[in-house]
């Protein structure tokens, strides 16, 4: 146990309180979301969660373990609300993409949570000592792009999207757009402003699908 951990354990001794894992994760998530992984200390997490230091260590191991659990908490309680739209069969591809983007914008601008994407915000300013965390976040970013790619491929198989559509390029375009939304939200852009950008994306949708065809043919 490090010197900091030992000091926190001593400071946290006293009558134990009932530990609620979900509440602790929500509070830790909020802190990581606002300040990033490296700028958030163990002392900050103890204070924010209200849990005793030994309890946090027993439950999560260390700060990295708590952060990884917070990522899973974010994906389950926030990201899945938008990603579940991709499993609907009653919507056209264009309508699904529009709703998917708007659901993400709603998350990024929700007044009850910090602005922008948690994983993008938490990954900012990481040093080489946090390489494992950075790689984990990178993999999570890529999983969103992969999910979109798989969705487009499935729609090509069902005939709801042209078979010549470059699913990989289209998925990457949307992933880059979503990352841009996160940056804009962190800089104070409102949901109305970001939804107007989505309007532009959807107006361009027919041309975007044509562009992927041209790009594939050109190679």
């Amino acid at each position: 146990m490090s010197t900091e951990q030992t000091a926190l354990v001593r400071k946290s001794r006293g009558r134990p309180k009932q530990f609620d894992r979900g509440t602790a994760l929500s509070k830790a998530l909020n802190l990581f979301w606002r300040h990033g992984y490296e700028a958030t200390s163990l002392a900050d997490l103890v204070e924010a969660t209200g849990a005793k230091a030994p309890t946090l260590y027993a439950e999560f191991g260390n700060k990295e373990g708590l952060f990884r659990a917070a990522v899973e908490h974010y994906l389950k309680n926030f990201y899945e609300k938008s990603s579940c739209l991709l499993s609907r069969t009653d919507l056209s591809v264009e309508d699904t993409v529009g709703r998917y983007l708007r659901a993400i914008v709603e998350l990024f601008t929700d007044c009850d949570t910090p602005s922008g994407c948690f994983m993008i915000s938490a990954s900012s300013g990481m040093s080489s000592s946090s390489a494992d965390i950075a790689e984990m976040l990178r993999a999570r970013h890529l999983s969103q792009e992969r999910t979109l790619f798989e969705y487009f491929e499935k729609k090509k198989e069902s005939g709801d999207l042209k078979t010549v559509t470059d699913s990989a390029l289209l998925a990457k375009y949307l992933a880059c757009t979503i990352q841009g939304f996160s940056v804009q939200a962190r800089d104070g852009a409102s949901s109305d402003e970001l939804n107007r950008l989505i309007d532009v994306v959807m107006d361009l949708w027919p041309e975007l699908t044509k562009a992927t065809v041209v790009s594939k043919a050109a190679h």
Side-chain angles (χ1 to χ4, degrees), residues 159-193:
D160 296 316
L161 196 62
K162 296 177 182 178
T163 57
V164 292
T165 298
D166 189 336
S167 299
L169 183 59
L170 195 55
K172 186 172 290 293
Y173 173 84
L174 291 178
C176 289
T177 299
I178 290 167
Q179 290 184 30
F181 287 162
S182 177
V183 173
Q184 286 287 308
R186 292 284 287 187
D187 287 343
S190 67
S191 60
D192 287 343
E193 290 173 320

Side-chain angles (χ1 to χ4, degrees), residues 18-195:
Q18 185 175 4
F19 178 73
D20 186 302
R21 180 184 173 90
T23 299
L25 281 175
S26 293
K27 292 179 178 179
L29 170 63
N30 189 285
L31 200 63
F32 284 128
W33 201 334
R34 290 186 185 281
H35 304 294
Y37 175 72
E38 293 203 347
T40 302
S41 70
L42 285 166
D44 294 331
L45 291 164
V46 167
E47 182 178 359
T49 60
K52 300 296 183 181
T55 301
L56 291 181
Y57 299 138
E59 188 72 23
F60 305 107
N62 53 24
K63 187 177 85 167
E64 180 178 330
L66 178 52
F67 180 78
R68 290 179 181 275
V71 170
E72 296 304 319
H73 187 73
Y74 171 79
L75 293 173
K76 179 179 180 180
N77 292 279
F78 295 95
Y79 177 68
E80 286 187 4
K81 293 179 181 180
S82 57
S83 62
C84 69
L85 287 167
L86 300 180
S87 63
R88 290 184 58 171
T89 59
D90 59 324
L91 302 172
S92 67
V93 176
E94 182 175 351
D95 195 13
T96 297
V97 169
R99 294 187 184 210
Y100 178 77
L101 293 176
R102 294 187 196 284
I104 289 175
V105 161
E106 182 180 355
L107 167 60
F108 288 176
T109 58
D110 189 341
C111 295
D112 293 331
T113 59
S115 300
C117 174
F118 158 62
M119 291 188 291
I120 293 175
S121 300
S123 63
S124 62
M126 282 195 172
S127 65
S128 58
S129 62
S130 301
D132 289 344
I133 289 293
E135 180 57 31
M136 182 267 290
L137 291 172
R138 177 179 176 276
R140 290 300 189 181
H141 289 321
L142 292 176
S143 71
Q144 181 183 54
E145 185 177 323
R146 184 171 60 253
T147 298
L148 287 167
F149 167 78
E150 292 171 351
Y151 168 74
F152 292 138
E153 286 292 284
K154 185 176 181 180
K155 289 303 179 181
K156 285 163 64 175
E157 293 176 0
S158 64
D160 296 316
L161 196 62
K162 296 177 182 178
T163 57
V164 292
T165 298
D166 189 336
S167 299
L169 183 59
L170 195 55
K172 186 172 290 293
Y173 173 84
L174 291 178
C176 289
T177 299
I178 290 167
Q179 290 184 30
F181 287 162
S182 177
V183 173
Q184 286 287 308
R186 292 284 287 187
D187 287 343
S190 67
S191 60
D192 287 343
E193 290 173 320
L194 296 181
N195 273 301

